[in-house]
Amino acid sequence: MNVRSRLVVFATVVLVTVASVGAAGLVTNHGMTAQPTVDQQQFQPSAIDAPTVDRNGTIAYDDDGESKTIVIDVAHSNDVSEEALEPVVSALTAGGHTVQYHEASDEFDSDPAADLNETLRGADALIVVEPETRYTAEEAAGVSAFADAGGRVLFAAGPDSGGLGGLLGLLGGTQPTGDEFAAVTSPVGIAYDTGYLYNMEEYENNFQSIYATPSTDSGLTDGVDRVVFDGPTPVVTDGQTLLTTLEGTEHSETRETGAYSVLARSGNAIAVGDPGFMSSTNYNRADNDVLIGNILEFLVTGEKVPGVPEETSAERDTGMKAESAESSPPQLPST
Amino acid sequence: MTPTFASLRNLLGTVAKSYVTVVIVALLVSASLAPIVWGSTSNPDGTVAVIEVDSTLTESSAERITDDLQEARQNDSISAVVLDVDSPGGGVSVSEGLYLAVERTAEQMPVVTSVDSTAASGGYYMIAPSDEIYVKPGSIVGSIGVRATYFDVPPTDEQITTGPDKNTGGTETEYKAQVEMMRQAFVGTVIEHRGDELTLSETELAYAKVYTGTKSVENGLADDIGDTEVAIGTAADMAGLKDYDTIEMESEPLSGTSLIIGSENGDRPEASTVHPQTYGRYGAVNTPTFLALWGSVDNERVIDATELERPVANETGGDRP
């Protein structure tokens, strides 16, 4: 065998071996990787029910043609931002009514009750949102007298007012705040619960964005099909329940299921369990605008007796002191 | 040829032809071949890979787990996977990605989960496709829900933006809707994979409660009480392995995947510290975050659903398609 024939044998063996391996790879499909896919039905957009928020409507209301004065209390560390009441303030102002803010006096010897009473004497309606300091008995008596005399009152507060707010108030070193809202709502027959309401079965876009429907025929619920509240707190009254949540609503603390009252009226005072429904971001959801219009109509159509709350003897004394102080040289407060 | 040489040759010829010699040579040859034959007949039928999930679920910790799962799928010697889980969850998308990886693996081989302390929220999301879920009586399972952090930072006079939602990404209402959609996918996944076992309704799942191991066996979130050894045995049985090896799959922090056979003490990266982005912390920049997490995060800006005035947050769980 010569060298040439040996080379031929060598090349043939190499060729056959490599070709065989290549053919085997093709036959066994080695090296092919399946294309991964995501076919899970629950992940497909068609399986997801994207929540929608129905927004439309404007606040409209009727009045008796008189310009009324509506006082908004901001003297009790009220947790009320400009946007929280902007739609209300705008609608009242556009209707020719006067909105007045009652602020705490920064004078050293001021009497908060006397200041509030003085404000209320010139007012037709009062709005109190989320107070974080407690009304004194004298202040509460003034508000109660105001309502008894035909002044219209709107209380609005969420879950924090009675429970957590008290704790935070203590931690923050402010005045004691436990049950602070009850101090002023209880004398007019209204009480706020603690905790918030939610509904795991029927809600708008979050389990706390729940619906409430009229529970009785009333001017305050006229035209209202359903309104949306965000985690409202229940409101109880000795008067009339106006709006209740849907059956199946649960209480965050008791976990009891039911239809809870979230808008109630007692005499000339009404109370709502979520101040946020009036805010600029929520006022036109569902029928919130209709409800707000009804509430504004309620506020501006009262017939309040002038001069109430009347001056107490203590206020008269304070007033005389103030007058005498004006006519005499400044004095250091006695200790 | 001398007589001596001739007799020696005859002797060697006789020896070579004797049966004793043949037997000796045969034994020598057998001794060299026997180990090969022994190995081919007595080696385990296959291998059960144990993948440990013992941290919060961040992009970095999830990368290791998905690499391990991919290795398990591609390695022909691995016949089943056991997930040894202790996790309260983490990012929503991270949890969803792990779910897909586990599901992909479960389509190819048995996947059995053993829950150590916790498989909550995203930690449950990822194990939902498991063929079997074992828990200890005191394990914590559940938290099927999502939460989001949300920043209400409107454009200010100090900056110019090209749209009203450039800073926040959307309104609070829109964030609520996004969280709700993630919740639906999470709950839908759990229903899909555990629907036949669950005694909880979809609504009950959506409460996002956690349950003890004992309770979770009753309500169908888990299958039985057991530990990792039981899970390994079940996985092997489901894969038809009478005799099997167990390997613990592991990887070095931020490096490639490696197999460490018989080792149980490899150091693992502390995922939550190496990937703060999962929690919306991109260096000096913070972003809204969606979490499938049970528990609180240090300095997390979270508002619960009752206080959606500034920021928000959410959680998820798992299922089987």
Side-chain angles (χ1 to χ4, degrees):
Chain A
M1 197 177 287
N2 58 26
V3 173
R4 185 174 176 177
S5 62
R6 288 177 181 177
L7 281 175
V8 170
V9 169
F10 175 79
T12 303
V13 169
V14 169
L15 195 63
V16 168
T17 304
V18 171
S20 300
V21 170
L26 287 175
V27 170
T28 59
N29 220 9
H30 230 72
M32 289 277 287
T33 303
Q35 176 66 39
T37 59
V38 174
D39 302 322
Q40 281 77 1
Q41 187 55 41
Q42 75 275 13
F43 280 7
Q44 306 308 318
S46 58
I48 304 293
D49 181 19
T52 56
V53 174
D54 175 27
R55 289 183 187 277
N56 61 64
T58 56
I59 297 173
Y61 62 99
D62 295 326
D63 54 29
D64 53 14
E66 299 177 32
S67 176
K68 300 291 179 70
T69 298
I70 297 89
V71 171
I72 297 175
D73 178 30
V74 290
H76 294 85
S77 304
N78 302 70
D79 183 16
V80 51
S81 62
E82 183 180 353
E83 69 171 20
L85 286 178
E86 183 277 325
V88 168
V89 172
S90 294
L92 287 170
T93 305
H97 305 284
T98 302
V99 174
Q100 179 182 345
Y101 289 87
H102 173 69
E103 298 180 68
S105 171
D106 54 4
E107 292 184 18
F108 177 77
D109 58 349
S110 66
D111 179 350
D115 292 344
L116 179 61
N117 285 349
E118 184 178 345
T119 301
L120 292 179
R121 275 192 285 276
D124 298 291
L126 170 67
I127 297 175
V128 183
V129 177
E130 301 270 18
E132 293 187 347
T133 55
R134 182 183 298 160
Y135 276 68
T136 65
E138 293 77 17
E139 289 175 310
V143 173
S144 184
F146 175 79
D148 288 344
R152 296 285 168 83
V153 182
L154 167 63
F155 296 120
D160 287 347
S161 291
L164 192 60
L167 176 63
L168 294 177
L170 287 175
L171 293 174
T174 59
Q175 287 180 248
T177 53
D179 294 329
E180 65 276 0
F181 212 12
V184 64
T185 62
S186 182
V188 297
I190 289 170
Y192 275 81
D193 203 338
T194 57
Y196 65 91
L197 300 172
Y198 60 88
N199 191 324
M200 296 298 289
E201 296 283 359
E202 188 166 1
Y203 52 81
E204 192 183 48
N205 62 352
N206 181 270
F207 72 108
Q208 293 186 67
S209 298
I210 61 174
Y211 298 109
T213 56
S215 56
T216 184
D217 287 335
S218 161
L220 280 160
T221 57
D222 187 32
V224 174
D225 179 24
R226 63 181 187 178
V227 296
V228 174
F229 292 115
D230 283 329
T233 196
V235 180
V236 294
T237 177
D238 61 359
Q240 188 179 28
T241 294
L242 300 173
L243 283 180
T244 55
T245 60
L246 303 183
E247 283 290 347
T249 301
E250 291 184 33
H251 190 288
S252 65
E253 293 173 352
T254 67
R255 297 298 172 106
E256 290 182 357
T257 303
Y260 290 86
S261 166
V262 287
L263 177 66
R265 176 177 180 175
S266 177
N268 282 318
I270 58 175
V272 63
D274 171 31
F277 89 101
M278 299 182 288
S279 71
S280 52
T281 54
N282 294 328
Y283 81 93
N284 59 355
R285 289 163 70 177
D287 290 331
N288 290 14
D289 54 317
V290 181
L291 177 63
I292 295 169
N294 293 343
I295 289 175
L296 296 188
E297 187 171 328
F298 169 79
L299 292 177
V300 300
T301 54
E303 295 297 335
K304 198 204 115 189
V305 177
V308 179
E310 296 174 356
E311 271 189 307
T312 63
S313 57
E315 286 176 50
R316 281 192 291 273
D317 292 345
T318 305
M320 289 171 64
K321 280 184 190 172
E323 287 172 13
S324 63
E326 285 173 5
S327 58
S328 58
Q331 295 178 343
L332 290 173
S334 58
T335 55
Chain B
M1 185 181 291
T2 65
T4 304
F5 182 76
S7 62
L8 182 61
R9 198 176 71 167
N10 289 337
L11 179 63
L12 288 174
T14 304
V15 168
K17 292 174 183 174
S18 81
Y19 282 105
V20 172
T21 304
V22 170
V23 168
I24 289 173
V25 171
L27 283 175
L28 289 173
V29 171
S30 300
S32 64
L33 294 176
I36 300 171
V37 176
W38 171 262
S40 65
T41 57
S42 67
N43 263 1
D45 303 330
T47 300
V48 176
V50 179
I51 300 175
E52 195 171 351
V53 182
D54 64 351
S55 64
T56 54
L57 304 178
T58 66
E59 279 77 1
S60 59
S61 66
E63 183 180 359
R64 176 187 65 78
I65 299 164
T66 51
D67 284 350
D68 287 349
L69 289 167
Q70 186 179 42
E71 170 70 18
R73 292 195 300 272
Q74 293 178 345
N75 189 329
D76 291 339
S77 69
I78 295 176
S79 305
V81 166
V82 166
L83 296 172
D84 187 8
V85 175
D86 183 7
S87 174
V92 173
S93 59
V94 172
S95 304
E96 291 167 341
L98 283 169
Y99 156 72
L100 292 173
V102 171
E103 164 68 354
R104 195 167 287 136
T105 307
E107 288 175 351
Q108 194 172 319
M109 64 182 69
V111 175
V112 177
T113 291
S114 168
V115 178
D116 285 332
S117 177
T118 304
S121 201
Y124 189 84
Y125 210 149
M126 66 171 288
I127 66 171
S130 303
D131 295 295
E132 291 282 323
I133 297 176
Y134 287 99
V135 290
K136 298 177 181 64
S139 299
I140 292 296
V141 172
S143 190
I144 314 300
V146 174
R147 68 186 201 212
T149 58
Y150 158 71
F151 304 102
D152 184 7
V153 187
T156 69
D157 293 341
E158 298 172 356
Q159 59 181 210
I160 296 168
T161 62
T162 54
D165 296 325
K166 177 59 188 152
N167 280 358
T168 60
T171 66
E172 180 185 313
T173 301
E174 289 164 342
Y175 270 87
K176 282 184 176 178
Q178 291 169 4
V179 169
E180 168 64 14
M181 293 166 72
M182 292 180 193
R183 181 202 69 82
Q184 289 180 29
F186 191 176
V187 173
T189 297
V190 175
I191 295 292
E192 174 72 21
H193 288 274
R194 304 289 308 179
D196 292 341
E197 293 85 7
L198 280 173
T199 61
L200 299 172
S201 68
E202 187 169 333
T203 300
E204 288 171 316
L205 276 181
Y207 277 79
K209 294 178 188 290
V210 294
Y211 304 92
T212 63
T214 305
K215 192 68 182 174
S216 67
V217 171
E218 288 179 13
N219 65 30
L221 283 173
D223 292 296
D224 217 337
I225 300 293
D227 59 9
T228 305
E229 294 298 312
V230 172
I232 291 171
T234 300
D237 188 51
M238 296 176 78
L241 305 179
K242 302 290 185 192
D243 184 20
Y244 56 90
D245 268 343
T246 303
I247 63 168
E248 189 169 321
M249 301 184 74
E250 211 170 352
S251 68
E252 295 302 316
L254 305 178
S255 66
T257 303
S258 61
L259 292 178
I260 300 178
I261 300 177
S263 170
E264 295 183 351
N265 52 8
D267 292 335
R268 291 187 176 282
E270 185 50 60
S272 60
T273 60
V274 300
H275 202 88
Q277 293 93 326
T278 300
Y279 305 99
R281 296 178 196 141
Y282 293 80
V285 177
N286 291 331
T287 67
T289 310
F290 296 92
L291 297 176
L293 180 70
W294 178 57
S296 62
V297 179
D298 288 345
N299 303 319
E300 183 186 21
R301 294 189 62 197
V302 175
I303 61 171
D304 67 12
T306 60
E307 301 171 338
L308 278 175
E309 292 168 8
R310 295 274 153 176
V312 222
N314 39 7
E315 280 170 45
T316 71
D319 84 273
R320 160 178 203 156

